Amino acid sequence: RFCETPREAAGFMSKVVGIDLGTSNSVVAYYKDGKAVALPDAEGRTIHPSVVAFGYGRSTVVGHRAKQQLTYAPENTIFSSKRLIGQRFASPEVQRLRAAVSWGVTEGPNKDVRIRVQGKLYTVPEISAHVLTHMRQIAEEALGETVDQAVITVPAYFNDQQRQATRDAATIAGLECMRIINEPTAAA
């Protein structure tokens, strides 16, 4: 630890978790007794699909349940959205993914990417926030405490826009992003 945060100085301590926000799967971990421990969900799983499924009404599911919905409602099930984060609509990666998915990928007001599901538009950070919220809930259940701070991994090639969009997703999910770190650094 380098120094106390303002929250610590005020006497408030919370758990800080590490979240590997992956394109296909995500993991949440906590540093305990000198090592990182992947936190399991109620079924004991530590690896969770980075998939968000919109049901009818206001229901949204994330993870394993969302991945199951992919087979019978692909137009309402978002996967691989991390490939779109911080991208411009005209980029080759966006156009490639746009042609490969059943859900809508449209241009936003600032030439950014929007995802259309059930007639509603979402920003990519909003979709990522659903995954981060799911990871946060898993951590809170596993630790038995509130989690509101996280270190989040991103690919080393992510540019400043993509890193900021990841921070924005954390904010939407109610997490203070303590740091963004490169995935190779996290693996080391």
Side-chain angles (χ1 to χ4, degrees):
R1 305 237 0 142
F2 297 110
C3 62
E4 284 188 357
T5 66
R7 294 163 56 90
E8 291 170 334
F12 180 81
M13 293 289 293
S14 69
K15 299 288 185 187
V16 179
V17 296
I19 299 175
D20 178 11
L21 179 61
T23 303
S24 300
N25 294 294
S26 295
V27 176
V28 60
Y30 181 69
Y31 194 73
K32 182 179 179 180
D33 299 328
K35 62 181 179 176
V37 177
L39 298 173
D41 64 6
E43 288 81 34
R45 299 175 293 212
T46 57
I47 299 173
H48 308 278
S50 300
V51 179
V52 178
F54 293 88
Y56 299 99
R58 293 187 164 261
S59 66
T60 305
V61 293
V62 181
H64 294 281
R65 286 182 51 212
K67 190 173 180 180
Q68 291 172 344
Q69 183 173 313
L70 191 57
T71 58
Y72 62 86
E75 70 283 357
N76 296 335
T77 309
I78 312 303
F79 61 93
S80 294
S81 65
K82 182 177 168 184
R83 296 183 192 283
L84 302 173
I85 201 161
Q87 297 276 358
R88 293 286 181 200
F89 180 75
S91 77
E93 178 69 14
V94 171
Q95 295 310 309
R96 185 193 64 72
L97 189 63
R98 183 176 179 219
V101 297
S102 299
W103 34 275
V105 179
T106 62
E107 187 171 4
N110 299 317
K111 300 186 189 247
D112 60 342
V113 178
R114 301 298 162 121
I115 295 172
R116 182 183 306 277
V117 179
Q118 296 179 336
K120 296 179 186 174
L121 287 177
Y122 298 91
T123 65
V124 180
E126 286 176 316
I127 300 300
S128 292
H130 282 288
V131 177
L132 289 172
T133 298
H134 185 66
M135 296 292 99
R136 176 186 183 177
Q137 290 168 343
I138 289 168
E140 288 179 341
E141 289 173 15
L143 297 170
E145 295 183 40
T146 299
V147 172
D148 60 4
Q149 297 174 314
V151 173
I152 302 171
T153 66
V154 297
Y157 63 82
F158 261 28
N159 62 31
D160 289 341
Q161 242 180 314
Q162 291 168 307
R163 291 168 191 271
Q164 184 57 52
T166 302
R167 284 186 190 90
D168 294 344
T171 300
I172 294 166
L175 288 167
E176 179 184 353
C177 183
M178 303 299 289
R179 180 173 277 177
I180 296 282
I181 61 172
N182 293 333
E183 290 168 351
T185 303

